[in-house]
Amino acid sequence: MELMPASFFQQPALTLAQNLLGCELIKETEEGTASGYIVETEVYIGAVDKAAHSYNYKRTKRTEVMFGEAGHAYTYVMHTHCLVNVVAGEQGEPEAILIRAVEPVRGIDLMYKRRGDKKEKELTSGPGKLTKALGIVKNDYGHPYGEPPLYIAKGFTPEHISTGPRIGIDNSEEARDFPWRFWVTGNRFVSR
DNA sequence: AGACCGATACGCT
DNA sequence: GCGTATCGGTCTA
């Protein structure tokens, strides 16, 4: 396994979001190890993006980690689910990349146990589903992706990448049309 | 397509 | 303290 170096995260968010596609996201817990290839991402850029929690450089306890170094985990809870992001951008620029879907790789039995689903596609085909399948929790907030128990490794190189508007941000005025969602074309675990 | 679930954070009183 | 909105998921029709 080849971990992504810290320098990997030092690239513009819009290119990082595409280069994260195909990378393996891994989480180790007491229950075991589970991982998946990232197949869908979304970019959030606080400086210009009304859909971002950090819009207009809004600095709170929750958004704080996005102002720091790239390559750390930004987790938050919405409704009953935990969602996971990769912090991007220079220090002081609050940017993040939401992981919206992964393709199961390791610990698939563990994922079924955690999700309790029959259909494989339902294991990880959404931002809330994949965190539950992999065992990612709010407490992973701030963790650097270069070391256990939560890290990112080299996976596969996608043949083709698609792009389009992001999901679930209809109240964000013009930002809702930004084509800042990226996915591996044709991959069946993409959320929609 | 719509209702419900219900954890948090934030902004206001 | 309290009301409100939320980068979803799941169940019921």
Side-chain angles (χ1 to χ4, degrees), chain A residues 154-174:
Chain A
K154 190 167 191 272
F156 71 97
T157 303
E159 258 181 46
H160 192 63
I161 293 172
S162 298
T163 184
R166 294 169 292 176
I167 304 293
I169 55 161
D170 290 346
N171 284 340
S172 300
E173 302 172 43
E174 80 281 355

Side-chain angles (χ1 to χ4, degrees), chain A residues 47-72:
Chain A
V48 295
D49 181 6
K50 286 181 182 167
H53 295 152
S54 55
Y55 175 59
N56 202 21
Y57 296 91
K58 187 167 73 169
R59 196 162 192 150
T60 67
K61 185 176 173 66
R62 183 171 66 158
T63 64
E64 184 63 34
V65 72
M66 286 191 274
F67 288 83
E69 198 182 346
H72 289 238

Side-chain angles (χ1 to χ4, degrees), chain A residues 30 39 62:
Chain A
E30 289 186 354
V39 297
R62 183 171 66 158

